[in-house]
Amino acid sequence: MTQRFHLHLLSDSTGETLESIAKAALSQFDDAEHVVKHFWPMVRSESHLDRILTDVAANPGLVLFTLVNRDTRRKLETRCRALGLPAIAALDAVSDAMSNMFGQEAKARPGRQHVMDAAYFARVAAIQFTIAHDDGINAQNWEEADIVLAGVSRTSKTPTSIYLANRGYKTANIPIVPESPPPPNLFQLKHPMVIGLVTSAERLIQVRRNRLLSLNQLPDTDYVDEEKVRAEVAHARRMFADNGWPVLDVTRRSIEESAAAIINLFNEREVTQAGETEIQT
């Protein structure tokens, strides 16, 4: 039988940070598929912790936690020690380093990163904008965007836009179709950064075939014809080059990797523009 490993994730807030840390760490191991995750968010009382510890005892394994309440932490660590289980405070090393840098103790406030401050509302506004400007709609408002993604069909424009919106960037996207030229204002935008998304023709055909099959449509159309797909990709590349737009090849990138690369491009442009402004003044 395949050995199963238990991983207990305890957080006094939503647990998103802890889950991301665990996911990133697990991705480095071949046996990650055999890990059973026990996710325990909003752990803010000893009675809740007692119920969780019963499960921990029944399914012993690694315990990762982000708990700021000292009494709750102490009880968890003491019980895990008695069970002979490792209990790791996922953010302690970072918090300690920052405490030394700032010369002050960290605020023991659970979920403080989720407070509804200006950045939170800006992120909500970015999500609303992005949803309202998906797939080329509301082109008259593109000047208000931070980023405009352009690319042929099935280059992950929509999911990448949504991911960027969750990071606070107002993002519009438009499909590049040779038979249907984009609106003229795409080539006149001043504020947004327009980025072209490209992928290999082989990968594009594969993704499109899977899409047609999922919709129970015939997989033999111009949409997946190799010659036409190559011409479509070449048309998009020419458009991007003619307008001097940065190009990102998403062939082997996940949505997260594409978004990270786009944010880097955006930040580099911001730095360049700030430097030009400083020279002018």
Side-chain angles (χ1 to χ4, degrees):
M1 292 181 63
T2 302
Q3 182 180 2
R4 294 202 303 171
F5 303 91
H6 293 276
L7 176 62
H8 296 269
L9 306 174
L10 286 74
S11 172
D12 49 22
S13 186
T14 63
E16 292 176 19
T17 301
L18 185 58
E19 196 166 26
S20 296
I21 292 172
K23 182 179 179 181
L26 285 171
S27 69
Q28 304 299 314
F29 297 93
D30 295 333
D31 288 330
E33 61 189 70
H34 305 307
V35 172
V36 179
K37 287 194 287 187
H38 304 258
F39 185 50
W40 310 102
M42 307 304 290
V43 183
R44 297 186 178 180
S45 69
E46 290 198 19
S47 58
H48 189 186
L49 180 61
D50 286 338
R51 294 193 297 272
I52 294 168
L53 286 170
T54 300
D55 186 79
V56 172
N59 300 286
L62 175 62
V63 177
L64 297 181
F65 65 90
T66 50
L67 303 173
V68 298
N69 182 277
R70 289 182 176 82
D71 292 336
T72 307
R73 283 181 54 138
R74 190 177 301 112
K75 182 170 184 175
L76 172 65
E77 291 170 333
T78 300
R79 184 66 188 278
C80 285
R81 197 177 303 115
L83 292 169
L85 301 177
I88 310 298
L91 294 178
D92 270 18
V94 178
S95 294
D96 290 346
M98 288 188 174
S99 179
N100 291 332
M101 180 174 69
F102 295 129
Q104 58 181 267
E105 292 292 324
K107 304 291 185 183
R109 302 177 189 173
R112 199 179 186 203
Q113 71 272 33
H114 299 298
V115 297
M116 291 189 290
D117 55 9
Y120 172 86
F121 290 108
R123 190 163 65 251
V124 171
I127 294 170
Q128 292 174 335
F129 179 92
T130 300
I131 292 172
H133 296 82
D134 181 42
D135 204 32
I137 61 176
N138 290 322
Q140 69 276 10
N141 300 324
W142 283 350
E143 191 61 41
E144 301 173 21
D146 298 311
I147 298 168
V148 175
L149 302 181
V152 300
S153 175
R154 314 314 298 175
T155 47
S156 302
K157 296 183 299 298
T158 294
T160 304
S161 296
I162 295 298
Y163 190 94
L164 289 167
N166 275 283
R167 297 291 300 273
Y169 298 90
K170 291 182 178 180
T171 309
N173 73 79
I174 179 173
I176 302 302
V177 183
E179 300 80 11
S180 179
N185 69 320
L186 175 64
F187 309 103
Q188 301 164 359
L189 297 173
K190 302 298 183 184
H191 174 258
M193 184 178 197
V194 182
I195 298 176
L197 302 184
V198 298
T199 187
S200 69
E202 294 78 10
R203 175 61 175 164
L204 195 56
I205 291 169
Q206 179 186 6
V207 171
R208 288 182 174 183
R209 284 189 183 279
N210 291 338
R211 175 63 173 169
L212 291 175
L213 289 171
S214 71
L215 297 174
N216 294 319
Q217 295 181 11
L218 293 175
D220 296 315
T221 68
D222 288 349
Y223 189 58
V224 292
D225 178 82
E226 183 175 352
E227 183 177 345
K228 292 186 180 298
V229 170
R230 290 188 182 280
E232 189 179 348
V233 173
H235 169 78
R237 284 186 176 274
R238 283 195 301 272
M239 179 185 294
F240 302 154
D242 290 345
N243 289 276
W245 297 333
V247 175
L248 181 68
D249 190 331
V250 300
T251 303
R252 299 184 181 278
R253 296 179 191 264
S254 65
I255 300 301
E256 295 85 354
E257 289 170 333
S258 295
I262 290 167
I263 291 171
N264 280 337
L265 289 170
F266 182 84
N267 288 340
E268 287 171 5
R269 188 187 77 152
E270 293 289 288
V271 170
T272 300
Q273 290 181 340
E276 291 174 350
T277 301
E278 186 175 339
I279 291 174
Q280 292 173 1
T281 56

